Amino acid sequence: MGQYTRSELAAGAFVWLLRVEYASRAFLFASGSVPPGEAPTDSAGVVMAIDGTIGDNVGIDVSSDILSPGGSSRSVSFRGLIFPVDIAALVEGGNDLSTATGDLALWRLGDSYADRWRFLRGNVQRPEYGAKGAPVNLTIEENAYNDRSILPGKWSTVTAATFPGAGETVEGKYYPIIIGGPGVFRNLAGSDLTRPGSTAIVVGASPDTLLICGHEIENVTVKVYDGTTSEDFAPSITEDGIGNPVATVDISAASTISRTASSYTIYTPAGIAGGITGAGDVLDYFLRLSTLRIDEGKLAAAVPALNDYTIRGFTDSGGFSAWEWIQDNLIPLLPVSFVSSGGDNGGVYPIFWKLDAGPQDAIAEIVAGVGGATRDGPIRYDRNHRDVINEIRIDYAKNAQTGEYQRFQVLRPDAVALGSRPDVGSYHARISRNRYGSGSEAITTDIVYDDITAGLVLQWKIHALGFLHRVGVYIMPREWGRLGPGDVVTLTDSELSIVSRVCLVRSVAWVSASWVSVEVLILENPARDY
């Protein structure tokens, strides 16, 4: 089962179940009393025995933050577990306790075990044990972001086996990966220009064959640059010496470019997976190159909004994981952060932070003092004045031959004419500067060539970084546990003069099997609220 519905959570009795698999058997612990007639049953309908107890406050939470977008592993510690076996004897018999695994779930009395709402599963870390009957302490840690992939692939390098005719100077080079069609951008006059967008590797015995990427691409014309001039060629979709798909260009019939240049760059309108350019589709592609478990449903839900951002670029380096590429290249440009879900179909997934959300986007209303909602402590601000940014420059459209960025945009409080191009003046940036003073940031990206995408990056960053947002925590009945990071809600707290303020959920922490602690980010948006 994935999750209980809100109505199911509101009714019935729930306990936490911890299942520890160790020494070829499973041990089950519950956070409360389970009457014999309501015990969990396995897939065969056999009643599962409860071996011991755990505390009701397990400290599990689902949290994320737009300003801390990288995913991190979750863990829960348990103390005082009494196992019905001699742990010390089992360890000495060759059953390493540190190889045990754990599964933590919320379960409704009377349901089958398969119907539980799983929150966490992972390996046992740092276990402590004593003599027979002594309490055992351990931590269950989820390694949701432990990606063991290597890009561009173990054998996707130039060697005597993959390209026998390649020279020693290119041996060991990684095959390029091309995304979209890097190299095309719009100049100040509004015309589309093409420039070198990715590198090529000379792999022919005489320098007539260029490797342009280590994957299939559409059979389109590519433009090859020798450093001075360019010429169009038709690529060949073929295989290297050990069967890897590659795209190459034969320049033996070149009439414009040199056949003996020291290096070559190219422009191609094609790229991976049929030329995908939407950031959501690119994210999906690289996640599937990883070894991470993926929450398919929640990933699919986030892709359409992310596809508003156009991604074009390439990489000709290697030795990194797919998750590392996502962290280094995609996440800094997008209003996303990552969390992991623990269900049977769970895994990592992106949260799209709707920073311009309005009341119409809210899926629920939190009202302090109503329905069991109670504010837990004071409202606090999330950052300091020195952290505020209200002037942002982005450099993009990288020339693969020169390494220079050919386009830039600046979003600042007031429009300023720079040559023939005025920078963008922003109402939000101006209000931010007037409140907090000036703060600036410059960013560069190798995977954006599109003016609209560059502008979208600046807009969400001003929303996120241009103001000090407030954070509130509310204790709620467990049915509110269906909320998750990124959900839009409204908040009313009459004691604080807050009325239907738009908020984003940052975390949902389970205080017990009956109560959750919901942390909300009260978004500051002057254009909407004042």
Side-chain angles (χ1 to χ4, degrees):
M1 179 175 178
Q3 296 181 355
Y4 290 105
T5 66
R6 185 170 180 178
S7 60
E8 288 172 334
L9 288 170
F14 287 80
V15 297
W16 292 105
L17 290 181
L18 170 66
R19 177 186 172 99
V20 178
E21 294 189 3
Y22 169 61
S24 300
R25 63 170 289 186
F27 303 90
L28 196 61
F29 300 85
S31 65
S33 175
V34 178
E38 297 182 280
T41 55
D42 62 18
S43 58
V46 177
V47 174
M48 301 171 66
I50 305 297
D51 296 301
T53 61
I54 54 175
D56 191 37
N57 182 8
V58 299
I60 186 69
D61 71 272
V62 180
S63 62
S64 194
D65 188 353
I66 183 62
L67 300 180
S68 301
S72 59
S73 295
R74 294 185 297 161
S75 64
V76 178
S77 295
F78 299 91
R79 301 188 65 82
L81 300 180
I82 305 298
F83 283 77
V85 293
D86 188 340
I87 295 294
L90 287 172
V91 171
E92 291 308 307
N95 297 286
D96 188 344
L97 184 56
S98 69
T99 63
T101 60
D103 178 306
L104 177 66
L106 187 68
W107 172 77
R108 183 172 58 182
L109 270 63
D111 284 352
S112 69
Y113 182 69
D115 288 335
R116 71 199 186 284
W117 180 1
R118 178 188 282 154
F119 277 80
L120 180 74
R121 61 179 173 184
N123 299 317
V124 166
Q125 306 287 347
R126 301 176 295 279
E128 300 174 348
Y129 69 94
K132 182 178 181 180
V136 174
N137 304 324
L138 54 82
T139 296
I140 307 298
E141 184 174 87
E142 163 194 73
N143 289 316
Y145 301 94
N146 182 23
D147 181 14
R148 296 180 299 279
S149 68
I150 299 177
L151 295 186
K154 184 176 181 181
W155 305 110
S156 295
T157 56
V158 178
T159 66
T162 57
F163 285 97
E168 293 183 0
T169 58
V170 298
E171 186 173 3
K173 283 186 175 292
Y174 292 98
Y175 295 178
I177 300 173
I178 300 175
I179 305 159
V184 62
F185 64 97
R186 182 157 292 185
N187 65 6
L188 294 177
S191 301
D192 286 338
L193 302 181
T194 55
R195 295 290 185 269
S198 57
T199 57
I201 305 172
V202 177
V203 292
S206 56
D208 288 333
T209 302
L210 305 181
L211 171 66
I212 61 175
C213 62
H215 51 81
E216 294 182 353
I217 61 171
E218 296 178 35
N219 193 11
V220 293
T221 299
V222 303
K223 190 178 294 293
V224 177
Y225 299 81
D226 64 0
T228 304
T229 58
S230 65
E231 188 171 346
D232 292 343
F233 295 90
S236 297
I237 313 304
T238 182
E239 294 181 348
D240 66 8
I242 59 175
N244 289 317
V246 294
T248 61
V249 169
D250 182 353
I251 62 170
S252 59
S255 59
T256 303
I257 64 170
S258 168
R259 293 174 54 199
T260 58
S262 59
S263 62
Y264 296 89
T265 50
I266 67 161
Y267 163 72
T268 173
I272 57 172
I276 59 173
T277 58
D281 292 329
V282 173
L283 172 62
D284 182 282
Y285 177 87
F286 276 90
L287 279 175
R288 295 181 191 285
L289 293 180
S290 77
T291 62
L292 305 182
R293 293 178 63 244
I294 303 168
D295 189 316
E296 299 282 355
K298 292 180 178 178
L299 172 61
V303 164
L306 294 175
N307 276 345
D308 287 342
Y309 295 75
T310 299
I311 300 301
R312 304 178 190 276
F314 85 103
T315 176
D316 59 358
S317 59
F320 50 85
S321 70
W323 175 241
E324 286 174 326
W325 188 90
I326 292 169
Q327 285 184 301
D328 293 343
N329 294 276
L330 273 181
I331 292 179
L333 300 176
L334 305 174
V336 298
S337 58
F338 277 77
V339 296
S340 63
S341 55
D344 292 335
N345 297 317
V348 303
Y349 65 94
I351 297 167
F352 182 84
W353 292 88
K354 192 172 178 58
L355 296 167
D356 59 349
Q360 72 281 358
D361 300 306
I363 64 171
E365 181 181 14
I366 298 173
V367 181
V370 176
T374 305
R375 179 165 31 88
D376 185 18
I379 300 293
R380 69 182 191 276
Y381 283 84
D382 64 339
R383 292 170 298 136
N384 299 314
H385 277 220
R386 64 177 178 271
D387 301 316
V388 171
I389 301 297
N390 42 47
E391 180 174 318
I392 309 176
R393 170 175 170 146
I394 181 171
D395 290 85
Y396 57 103
K398 186 176 182 179
N399 185 314
Q401 181 175 295
T402 65
E404 297 177 347
Y405 298 95
Q406 300 154 110
R407 293 287 283 161
F408 75 94
Q409 288 186 41
V410 182
L411 192 152
R412 52 166 41 111
D414 303 296
V416 177
L418 294 179
S420 60
R421 180 188 180 280
D423 281 7
V424 179
S426 163
Y427 172 78
H428 286 87
R430 186 161 61 253
I431 296 298
S432 172
R433 180 199 58 192
N434 293 344
R435 283 190 189 183
Y436 312 110
S438 297
S440 62
E441 178 181 78
I443 59 177
T444 60
T445 174
D446 294 351
I447 60 172
V448 171
Y449 287 77
D450 174 67
D451 293 340
I452 293 176
T453 296
L456 289 173
V457 173
L458 296 181
Q459 290 292 339
W460 82 254
K461 283 185 175 289
I462 280 291
H463 277 281
L465 303 175
F467 296 91
L468 300 181
H469 306 290
R470 290 166 289 161
V471 178
V473 178
Y474 290 82
I475 304 299
M476 316 275 286
R478 67 168 167 257
E479 56 262 33
W480 289 86
R482 284 300 306 270
L483 290 175
D487 284 344
V488 182
V489 298
T490 59
L491 172 67
T492 295
D493 191 330
S494 59
E495 292 184 347
L496 301 178
S497 301
I498 295 175
V499 180
S500 297
R501 179 70 74 177
V502 176
C503 304
L504 296 178
V505 174
R506 287 215 307 188
S507 73
V508 178
W510 287 78
V511 178
S512 68
S514 300
W515 296 92
V516 294
S517 173
V518 179
E519 183 181 74
V520 295
L521 184 70
I522 306 172
L523 286 175
E524 192 70 8
N525 189 335
R528 181 195 62 208
D529 298 325
Y530 305 110

